[in-house]
Amino acid sequence: MQIFDCTGVGTPNPCAIQGSTASPPLNVNSFRTEQAHIGFNLVTVVPSGDPGTQRSSVLFFEGKNRVNKACLGVSEGEMLGPALAENTGLTELNINWNHLRGPGAVAFARALEANIFLRVLDISYNGFGDPGASAVGEALKTNNVLEELNMSNNRISAVGALSLGLGLRVNQTLRILVMSRNPMRGEGCFGVLKSVRDNPGSALELLDFSDIQVDREFDDLAISVKVILPALHIKTAAHRVEYKRLASSLHPVPTGVCP
């Protein structure tokens, strides 16, 4: 799997990329988002045309990097992971409202351990679950580039939140973390915030737990964390914290879903 940033260049010929002068049959799955000029092509090259023949895949990114509502599933996640790990062009990626879960979510998240260019990532509304959250936590231990991460509505429970927190204990570059609408309850929110408290080098400026009910124990911890990290905004339940950078960077929630 290779990944190419085709901004302003147009989509290259997959045969040329593969170094072949022939014209092998192609199985092309083209995905488009709400804006016609944004999308990508996932091309599977079958040299002999025989379905049993070994295939090679090429991922093309065009325009900006918003690939939401593309119905990407487990297999696409497993292919996207290695590609993203080696990519040197993308700095922002919105891949929300897809079906990246299970092994696909884990493979995709592990790419963050190696990628050194991606700064903004939106993986909300995917169903990453606890395995995906744990993989993201592992990646955050070594990733020193990612600054904004949206993981809202990903079926992450308290167990997954605690695993994610292991990465937050040492990460020093993440500034915005959105975990709203996950079934992690107050226990999960408390665990994440505790990990942030235990990291004196944390760069977090916004921690969003919108639509998750927390308890007095969490509130007490939040007060103590604010002493250590006075610039940190913590958003919970229905309370709104205005943060202009977040508002400008996150895309509107799509109104449709995959069939």
Side-chain angles (χ1 to χ4, degrees):
M1 167 71 85
Q2 300 175 27
I3 189 169
F4 299 89
D5 185 352
C6 304
T7 304
V9 180
T11 304
N13 185 327
C15 297
I17 292 175
Q18 296 298 327
S20 169
T21 57
S23 298
L26 297 178
N27 176 18
V28 182
N29 299 308
S30 298
F31 301 95
R32 287 287 161 181
T33 61
E34 295 168 322
Q35 299 176 350
H37 65 286
I38 299 174
F40 74 90
N41 293 329
L42 181 60
V43 181
T44 302
V45 181
V46 188
S48 68
D50 181 357
T53 305
Q54 184 176 4
R55 304 179 178 195
S56 56
S57 298
V58 184
L59 181 67
F60 301 105
F61 274 93
E62 301 174 5
K64 296 183 73 174
N65 31 46
R66 185 176 178 185
V67 196
N68 60 326
K69 297 169 60 180
C71 297
L72 304 183
V74 173
S75 59
E76 287 82 7
E78 291 177 328
M79 289 187 290
L80 275 169
L84 182 61
E86 299 177 4
N87 177 258
T88 59
L90 289 173
T91 57
E92 299 186 16
L93 177 59
N94 182 340
I95 200 163
N96 65 14
W97 281 84
N98 281 289
H99 299 297
L100 296 180
R101 55 194 63 165
V106 172
F108 182 84
R110 284 176 177 166
L112 298 177
E113 297 182 26
N115 185 284
I116 57 173
F117 291 92
L118 193 66
R119 298 184 181 278
V120 180
L121 176 62
D122 186 345
I123 52 176
S124 59
Y125 291 85
N126 264 289
F128 260 52
D130 294 341
S134 179
V136 171
E138 285 297 314
L140 289 178
K141 292 180 181 179
T142 56
N143 185 291
N144 59 1
V145 178
L146 191 66
E147 298 180 2
E148 303 180 21
L149 175 60
N150 187 345
M151 297 184 67
S152 62
N153 211 328
N154 260 295
R155 303 179 184 177
I156 300 171
S157 72
V159 174
L162 294 176
S163 297
L164 178 69
L166 297 178
L168 295 175
R169 287 183 180 178
V170 296
N171 184 276
Q172 297 185 4
T173 56
L174 193 65
R175 298 187 303 106
I176 296 174
L177 176 60
V178 183
M179 299 195 69
S180 59
R181 302 179 182 87
N182 278 297
M184 48 196 285
R185 306 188 308 276
E187 177 186 355
C189 296
F190 183 89
V192 170
L193 186 59
K194 186 174 182 295
S195 294
V196 175
R197 183 200 64 183
D198 295 341
N199 180 3
S202 175
L204 272 177
E205 299 173 12
L206 177 65
L207 192 52
D208 190 342
F209 296 123
S210 296
D211 298 321
I212 304 176
Q213 294 297 323
V214 296
D215 53 22
R216 177 58 63 86
E217 186 179 20
F218 176 91
D219 292 337
D220 292 341
L221 177 62
I223 292 174
S224 66
V225 172
K226 287 285 290 182
V227 175
I228 303 172
L229 300 170
L232 176 62
H233 294 282
I234 303 172
K235 183 178 177 183
T236 61
H239 301 293
R240 183 177 184 82
V241 175
E242 295 298 334
Y243 193 81
K244 62 182 181 180
R245 178 68 183 95
L246 178 69
S248 63
S249 65
L250 296 183
H251 299 291
V253 174
T255 57
V257 295
C258 295

